[in-house]
Amino acid sequence: MDKEKLITTAKTMMQSPKGILAMDESSPTIGKRLGSIGVDNNETNRVKYRELIVTTPKLSDYVSGAILFDETFHQKMSTGILFRDYLNSIGILPGIKVDKGAKDLSNHPSEKITEGLDGLRERLSEYADKGAKFCKWRAVITIGDSIPSTACIFGNTHALSRYASLCQEHSLVPIVEPEILINGNHSIQACYTVTKTVLDSLFEQLTIMDVFLEGTVLKPSMVISGTENKKRANYDDVAKTTIECLKLCLPNELAGVAFLSGGQTDEESTMHLNIMNKSNKSLPWRVTFSYARAIQQSALQSWLGKDDNIKKAQAVLADRAEKCSLASIGSL
Ligand code: 13P
């Protein structure tokens, strides 16, 4: 583990006023996104869409790193240049999603466990050799009747910490992502309790595994009411409760925090982040974004798979990325 390298990469990822672009949808997930605009999920269209994203003018003003799916990491753009090389050439660090997805957790109906530890050391070695600078692993926690179980929380936070340790062995910065799903009718208080339990467990596991926190980035969900809750908490409450929870659970030496958007609307995702940063000027860590849908969704809707719409879609994407960037410094 090269600690200096980990610190340098993590600082670059967390540089102000930027965030991290998540564009690492697996092939089935990108298929759902393309399907929503009537576009076939084939390699040509996946390249076309992702090329639209990375060639968006001024993207590197707002984004320090981009998380790629394995296919994109090894893929060439229409110009013949590899996506990862193109990103490097415009000053955006290429990162890679390395988990193998959330699968059913044995004997725990409705709960998931993220797989992908087998063979991970060898895969990380290849990604590092080919120029990846950081990685992502996403765990999924569902709030519902009597869940999440201790088994689900412990299994996932343990896997996250083993993944993080392996990444650092290869001097790759791990993004650890314990996503508490927004689906459901739970209250913000219920989300707070679950988020606190999960984050406490995660940092306990990371500490047990001797994970180097100055070279680790946390990608949490915000503390928020479920989408089906009748009395959803307002922007100020979400921002305040989220920061309260982070302050209680996160060690000061952590390299930074980059939120997922998790199904929030574009406006919610930027307003929440903006208020957090506007109201808290002296947090121990930078608090920024690592959004997929809240950056991409409106651009996808403008594109509709048509070449004539590419420029318009890129303008929409740049606007979303700029708003996220401003929110990351509380200046929206
Ligand atoms: P969303 O911002 O769409 O939640 O995606 C972020 C992400 O990377 C999920 O793993």
Side-chain angles (χ1 to χ4, degrees):
M1 160 170 32
D2 180 340
K3 288 189 172 175
E4 287 310 313
K5 191 172 167 191
L6 287 167
I7 290 173
T8 305
T9 303
K11 282 195 170 143
T12 307
M13 292 163 73
M14 287 295 120
Q15 70 190 278
S16 184
K18 302 186 188 183
I20 297 164
L21 169 66
M23 48 179 292
D24 60 327
E25 299 86 357
S26 62
S27 295
T29 303
I30 197 68
K32 280 190 221 154
R33 307 277 189 268
L34 294 174
S36 73
I37 55 162
V39 170
D40 283 349
N41 184 17
N42 56 43
E43 186 170 358
T44 309
N45 289 336
R46 290 195 292 272
V47 168
K48 210 175 239 195
Y49 175 55
R50 285 170 166 152
E51 188 163 333
L52 177 161
I53 295 176
V54 300
T55 58
T56 292
K58 294 173 103 179
L59 187 65
S60 60
D61 288 357
Y62 315 124
V63 161
S64 59
I67 315 172
L68 306 178
F69 185 57
D70 179 75
E71 179 189 62
T72 323
F73 187 81
H74 292 104
Q75 220 164 25
K76 288 181 175 162
M77 297 165 58
S78 63
T79 48
I81 184 169
L82 288 160
F83 273 94
R84 59 177 193 260
D85 290 343
Y86 176 76
L87 287 167
N88 258 321
S89 77
I90 59 168
I92 295 179
L93 298 178
I96 177 84
K97 165 197 174 76
V98 298
D99 67 69
K100 293 281 189 186
K103 308 286 163 61
D104 289 343
L105 176 61
S106 50
N107 301 313
H108 292 81
S110 310
E111 295 198 285
K112 300 282 179 191
I113 181 80
T114 301
E115 296 187 349
L117 288 170
D118 287 354
L120 182 57
R121 171 176 275 138
E122 292 71 25
R123 290 193 289 128
L124 291 175
S125 168
E126 190 197 336
Y127 289 133
D129 284 349
K130 291 186 170 163
K133 297 288 184 267
F134 66 94
C135 300
K136 178 189 113 170
W137 179 290
R138 171 176 176 256
V140 178
I141 313 284
T142 308
I143 302 180
D145 283 346
S146 310
I147 59 171
S149 64
T150 304
C152 176
I153 294 173
F154 174 80
N156 276 296
T157 58
H158 180 69
L160 275 164
S161 66
R162 286 199 52 208
Y163 140 82
S165 171
L166 279 163
C167 285
Q168 293 188 334
E169 183 182 80
H170 294 85
S171 305
L172 294 162
V173 170
I175 296 183
V176 290
E177 179 180 3
E179 175 170 4
I180 320 289
L181 293 180
I182 199 172
N183 313 67
N185 60 8
H186 52 268
S187 63
I188 188 171
Q189 288 78 17
C191 184
Y192 176 89
T193 305
V194 170
T195 307
K196 182 162 187 321
T197 307
V198 169
L199 291 178
D200 282 343
S201 169
L202 175 61
F203 285 99
E204 185 183 2
Q205 289 299 317
L206 292 171
T207 304
I208 289 170
M209 289 299 295
D210 297 316
V211 170
F212 179 55
L213 295 172
E214 291 93 323
T216 302
V217 170
L218 175 70
K219 176 163 173 167
S221 35
M222 294 182 194
V223 178
I224 192 166
S225 335
T227 38
E228 285 126 57
N229 186 287
K230 296 266 184 314
K231 286 175 95 179
R232 298 194 75 209
N234 64 29
Y235 293 155
D236 286 330
D237 284 344
V238 171
K240 185 166 162 277
T241 315
T242 301
I243 291 294
E244 230 171 75
C245 191
L246 296 187
K247 276 184 176 165
L248 277 178
C249 302
L250 275 43
N252 287 357
E253 61 267 36
L254 185 71
V257 177
F259 286 105
L260 58 94
S261 59
Q264 296 183 45
T265 64
D266 287 359
E267 180 175 299
E268 284 171 340
S269 72
T270 26
M271 288 301 290
H272 291 145
L273 184 62
N274 190 53
I275 298 168
M276 283 185 222
N277 281 298
K278 203 175 213 151
S279 317
N280 298 279
K281 290 292 178 199
S282 54
L283 293 169
W285 357 260
R286 180 159 158 68
V287 170
T288 186
F289 62 92
S290 175
Y291 298 158
R293 281 165 289 178
I295 290 186
Q296 294 183 41
Q297 194 59 31
S298 45
L300 184 74
Q301 294 299 330
S302 300
W303 176 48
L304 295 174
K306 298 195 172 67
D307 289 351
D308 285 350
N309 292 340
I310 288 178
K311 289 232 156 11
K312 189 172 73 176
Q314 288 184 324
V316 170
L317 193 121
D319 180 65
R320 280 301 304 148
E322 183 180 14
K323 286 199 169 78
C324 292
S325 161
L326 288 170
S328 81
I329 49 169
S331 299
L332 191 62

